[in-house]
Each structure stands twice: as C-alpha cells, then as structure tokens.
Amino acid sequence: QVKLVESGGGLVQPGGSLRLSCAASGFDLHYFGIGWFRQAPGKEREGVSCISSKDGTPNYADSVKGRFTISRDNAKRTVYLEMNSLKPEDTAVYYCATDFEADPCNAVIGGWSVNYIDYWGKGTLVTVSS
C-alpha cells in the first residue's frame, strides 16, 4: 500500500527556513518521480518542486527557484524540501505526491493539472508570519 507522510511544517518568520520531509512506503522511491505541491487558503493546489521520473533531475516552480531545494534519500525512503528565505506568500499546506504512470513534474513545470496524480500525503502546514 502506497503511503506518503509529510512532516516538518510550522510557524516561521519571514526570511526564515524550514525543512519538510516526506516518508514514502509501499513502493520503491528510486524508480518513480515525486513532487512537492502546496495549497493556500482559497487557491488551487500548485506544483512547487519535483524530481523527474525520466531522469531524476530536480525542477522548481518559478516562485520558489533559488530559495527551495528538493532532495531524495533512497535508503531512508524520504524526500526533503529545504525552504529558505521564506515569504508570507509561501504560507500553505504542503503535500508530497507521486504517480506511477506519469511524471509528477508535468504538474510543476509542464502546465498540467495536479488532478492526474494518484498518490498524495495528508499534508503539513507551513505558516510564514511575523
């Protein structure tokens, strides 16, 4: 059974940092792409960052490029999102997600809707506020 569990969210001041973790089980993380997505109140869910299933390269939405870093530890079955220089507009529930048929990066940099992605965690709340 595929399971994704996010952790690491919290309250942080503008300019601060957080590291989110996504523990994956029920599938081999090495062979599939995985992504981080977020949903702010009243807004649609959007792609933030991903590791491509095609070639393992990291990709980022323009809004977080240069501030966020995605990484994967296959031995620990965990994906991380290091977030620096946080802004109030980064406030959202952050989800990790994967799909076994299509690359999650399609929804981060390819303009696809997130609706095609099959497996989601329950999310972790990040609040950036002074």
Side-chain angles (χ1 to χ4, degrees):
Q1 181 182 1
V2 175
K3 192 173 183 183
L4 300 167
V5 180
E6 303 92 337
S7 61
L11 174 64
V12 62
Q13 291 188 343
S17 299
L18 277 176
R19 188 176 80 156
L20 305 183
S21 299
C22 171
S25 60
F27 68 105
D28 194 331
L29 189 58
H30 179 75
Y31 293 109
F32 297 99
I34 194 159
W36 284 97
F37 300 82
R38 68 186 180 187
Q39 187 164 18
K43 294 190 176 181
E44 292 187 355
R45 195 169 296 188
E46 63 176 2
V48 174
S49 180
C50 59
I51 294 175
S52 175
S53 58
K54 296 182 181 69
D55 54 15
T57 57
N59 294 280
Y60 302 93
D62 288 342
S63 58
V64 306
K65 206 170 289 184
R67 301 188 297 123
F68 290 12
T69 302
I70 190 171
S71 61
R72 177 173 62 187
D73 186 328
N74 292 329
K76 293 184 178 179
R77 296 175 172 262
T78 302
V79 180
Y80 303 98
L81 186 68
E82 186 75 35
M83 305 187 296
N84 298 313
S85 303
L86 282 162
K87 305 174 181 179
E89 51 263 43
D90 294 318
T91 295
V93 177
Y94 284 71
Y95 302 88
C96 67
T98 189
D99 192 87
F100 295 163
E101 296 184 355
D103 191 341
C105 285
N106 292 333
V108 176
I109 58 171
W112 288 28
S113 164
V114 302
N115 293 335
Y116 74 93
I117 298 176
D118 283 338
Y119 301 103
W120 295 86
K122 294 184 178 180
T124 185
L125 176 63
V126 172
T127 303
V128 184
S129 175
S130 55

